[in-house]
Amino acid sequence: MAEEYREALLKKDDYYENCPGCKVDQLKELKKGFPFRELISIWIVVLCTALPISTLFPFLYFMIRDFGIAEREEDIGYYAGYVGSSFMIGRALTSVFWGIVADRYGRKPVILLGTIAVVIFNTLFGLSVNFWMAIITRFLLGSLNGLLGPIKAYAVEIFRAEYQALGLSTVSTAWGIGLIIGPALGGFLAQPAEKYPNLFSKESLFGRFPYFLPCFCISLFALAVTIVSCWLPETLHVHNEKKTSSNDSYDALEAATGASKGDKTRTDDKGRKPSSNESLLRNWPLMSSIIVYCIFSLHDMAYTEIFSLWAESSRKLGGLGYTTEDVGEVLAISGFSLLVFQLSLYPYVERILGPIPVARIAAVISILLLSSYPFIAMLSGLGLSILINCASIMKNVFSVSIITGLFILQNNAVDQNQRGAANGISMTGMSLFKAVGPAGGGAILSWAQRRQNAAFLPGVQMVFFILNAVELIGVLMTFKPFLAQRQDKPRNGTA
């Protein structure tokens, strides 16, 4: 049966025996079962990329304090914001480049380079001895880790049509859980000589570098992922006779600047120019989904920064008075619940309602949920623990559902040979917005906590009001005429 199907494929005009993408298409048709191996592969790659981003939040305050660069205690937050944002700035500067590389040379090389960058520069960050070493290592980690855009294209291409929504939800779920588990690891494993003196002495490596242990554990995980990723199949179509896959991404970006390919521009059987030669920046279904994605990403990054700081703030400032271990427990529970939801419920909900309605409903409920946070802080004991865990679970489930829906829209807006560049543009915009999140979130919380007796939205009520305002802007932008969807079916493996 398999040999007969292979011979049938060889007779097709668009199948090439030596093309890795065609081989993957063949395997997808022959393998009818649930794609467990592919899901796990994507899961671990995205997870090892997401973990370093937020691991530093629980201990960054103390790290900056130990560097001695801040003359006053009030200045620590500003320096911490620079370190927190340096990763996103680095990624914003190189995301389009890595997208072009993925379209020209394949998804797999970019994935491997990204995981290797985590191994090297995340380790060096944990060994930082001064502020500038921390800034540089985080910046280089962001610059050289360009796999998040290509892995989304890979998630669409490696699965059969009925599992593509699940593949993209796996990317967003692993990303969301990485941003949740990361702070948990940082909270539990930072300063081990102080927390676990029976296991780590102050003279040991982890005693002399108190923030190295969480980074070291993530780097070990990234090393294992790098080794496993060597066996990932390449999904990029390379048809040497037509030279399509190697040139279309560059042509798309060249078209974005207004250049023309002249006689080299191809037309399809209906006399239309194929979308692979159209400007990505003029592709409104793509660009509108990217802009909405950036708004929600700004909200999520600010929320991630604010939640840990707010939970650890004293009760008199409207916080929960939690320790880093308490926050770690809440985030770990949220991460596990998020995994269960995305693997079991999200694909069915998305199939019934569609990605845009799911995103709208999740965003509206998130606004109502965040409005309750200042009142949850008035509770104590078991009631506080139960409600804050439930609220954190729901908030993170809604956030990942929104991002997953926008992932689907972005990848459906372009053909396969443009997905790397398209996701690179998406990562650039998202990284710029997320670079504002850590610094902006910390500054807003600090300002709000100084106005406890204000007549209008005192204390942390103002923080969650601002977060809800950003979320509301995102909701409004999901409606027409702003958000558009591509009407024709994308070529090369898109649902």
Side-chain angles (χ1 to χ4, degrees):
M1 181 66 181
E3 186 62 29
E4 293 177 358
Y5 183 79
R6 180 175 175 275
E7 291 178 359
L9 283 174
L10 285 171
K11 296 178 181 178
K12 296 176 64 176
D13 293 337
D14 58 350
Y15 180 82
Y16 295 81
E17 187 173 11
N18 296 322
C19 170
C22 290
K23 291 180 180 178
V24 169
D25 288 344
Q26 178 187 1
L27 290 175
K28 287 192 295 185
E29 293 299 326
L30 294 176
K31 185 178 179 181
K32 301 294 184 179
F34 191 82
F36 283 108
R37 185 172 65 180
E38 290 81 1
L39 284 175
I40 294 173
S41 298
I42 291 174
W43 176 271
I44 61 175
V45 168
V46 177
L47 186 62
C48 92
T49 304
L51 284 174
I53 293 178
S54 57
T55 307
L56 74 166
F57 288 142
F59 62 76
L60 185 56
Y61 178 92
F62 302 101
M63 188 183 218
I64 298 298
R65 182 199 63 186
D66 292 348
F67 288 155
I69 191 172
E71 297 180 358
R72 300 176 301 172
E73 185 177 358
E74 295 88 338
D75 297 332
I76 291 178
Y78 293 102
Y79 289 102
Y82 294 138
V83 177
S85 298
S86 58
F87 175 94
M88 292 297 173
I89 293 173
R91 192 167 70 178
L93 295 176
T94 60
S95 291
V96 173
F97 167 78
W98 289 118
I100 296 173
V101 171
D103 282 342
R104 186 171 294 241
Y105 300 107
R107 311 340 184 175
K108 185 175 176 179
V110 178
I111 292 172
L112 289 173
L113 287 172
T115 56
I116 291 171
V118 174
V119 174
I120 297 173
F121 294 104
N122 187 62
T123 301
L124 292 175
F125 173 72
L127 296 171
S128 296
V129 295
N130 57 53
F131 174 74
W132 290 110
M133 181 177 178
I135 286 280
I136 292 171
T137 53
R138 290 287 294 179
F139 177 81
L140 291 174
L141 176 59
S143 299
L144 299 176
N145 188 345
L147 65 81
L148 185 58
I151 198 67
K152 289 190 292 182
Y154 188 85
V156 171
E157 297 158 3
I158 197 66
F159 293 112
R160 293 168 57 89
E162 61 265 33
Y163 295 116
Q164 286 174 358
L166 179 61
L168 285 173
S169 72
T170 300
V171 173
S172 56
T173 302
W175 182 258
I177 290 179
L179 297 183
I180 292 170
I181 296 178
L185 289 175
F188 284 115
L189 299 182
Q191 301 171 317
E194 297 180 13
K195 296 177 181 176
Y196 317 108
N198 295 331
L199 297 176
F200 303 95
S201 67
K202 292 185 177 181
E203 290 74 27
S204 67
L205 177 65
F206 299 112
R208 289 184 288 115
F209 297 95
Y211 312 106
F212 178 52
L213 181 58
C215 298
F216 178 68
C217 292
I218 293 173
S219 295
L220 282 180
F221 175 64
L223 178 61
V225 172
T226 302
I227 296 172
V228 172
S229 298
C230 292
W231 283 272
L232 288 176
E234 178 58 66
T235 61
L236 183 68
H237 283 270
V238 181
H239 301 164
N240 293 327
E241 292 83 354
K242 294 183 179 181
K243 301 290 183 183
T244 55
S245 293
S246 63
N247 293 323
D248 283 342
S249 177
Y250 177 80
D251 294 347
L253 262 70
E254 187 178 67
T257 65
S260 173
K261 295 297 290 184
D263 295 336
K264 296 181 181 180
T265 301
R266 297 183 304 274
T267 59
D268 63 12
D269 56 355
K270 296 183 180 180
R272 299 173 304 183
K273 292 181 181 180
S275 62
S276 59
N277 277 335
E278 293 176 358
S279 166
L280 288 177
L281 299 182
R282 295 176 186 172
N283 183 340
W284 185 243
L286 171 67
M287 297 309 299
S288 62
S289 62
I290 288 176
I291 294 171
V292 178
Y293 174 53
C294 289
I295 296 297
F296 283 115
S297 295
L298 171 63
H299 170 89
D300 290 346
M301 197 65 181
Y303 171 82
T304 301
E305 169 86 359
I306 287 170
F307 180 82
S308 295
L309 296 175
W310 168 67
E312 294 171 359
S313 299
S314 63
R315 305 284 294 191
K316 66 179 181 179
L317 295 178
L320 306 182
Y322 273 15
T323 64
T324 55
E325 288 84 355
D326 295 329
V327 174
E329 291 176 3
V330 173
L331 297 179
I333 293 172
S334 298
F336 177 76
S337 302
L338 189 62
L339 170 63
V340 173
F341 171 79
Q342 288 296 103
L343 292 181
S344 60
L345 295 179
Y346 179 81
Y348 299 101
V349 175
E350 187 275 333
R351 195 174 304 163
I352 294 172
L353 299 178
I356 296 179
V358 170
R360 288 176 186 153
I361 294 170
V364 170
I365 300 177
S366 293
I367 292 174
L368 299 175
L369 184 64
L370 284 184
S371 300
S372 69
Y373 273 40
F375 303 100
I376 292 177
M378 298 178 182
L379 303 175
S380 60
L382 182 61
L384 171 62
S385 179
I386 293 174
L387 280 181
I388 197 61
N389 275 284
C390 291
S392 179
I393 290 170
M394 294 174 64
K395 177 65 180 73
N396 286 288
V397 163
F398 293 146
S399 294
V400 173
S401 298
I402 295 168
I403 296 301
T404 300
L406 295 172
F407 280 173
I408 294 173
L409 292 183
Q410 289 173 32
N411 282 277
N412 282 351
V414 294
D415 296 325
Q416 186 204 43
N417 44 30
Q418 285 186 303
R419 286 192 192 126
N423 282 296
I425 294 174
S426 175
M427 288 302 101
T428 297
M430 181 267 285
S431 299
L432 289 172
F433 276 73
K434 281 196 170 185
V436 178
I444 290 173
L445 181 64
S446 177
W447 166 70
Q449 288 179 336
R450 291 196 298 267
R451 52 188 304 280
Q452 294 295 318
N453 299 317
F456 178 70
L457 297 175
V460 295
Q461 292 184 35
M462 177 60 74
V463 175
F464 295 109
F465 173 79
I466 294 175
L467 285 175
N468 281 337
V470 176
E471 190 89 337
L472 180 60
I473 292 172
V475 173
L476 296 176
M477 293 172 70
T478 62
F479 290 92
K480 294 181 179 180
F482 186 84
L483 185 62
Q485 294 187 68
R486 181 174 176 177
Q487 300 302 318
D488 63 309
K489 184 178 181 181
R491 297 176 294 149
N492 296 328
T494 306

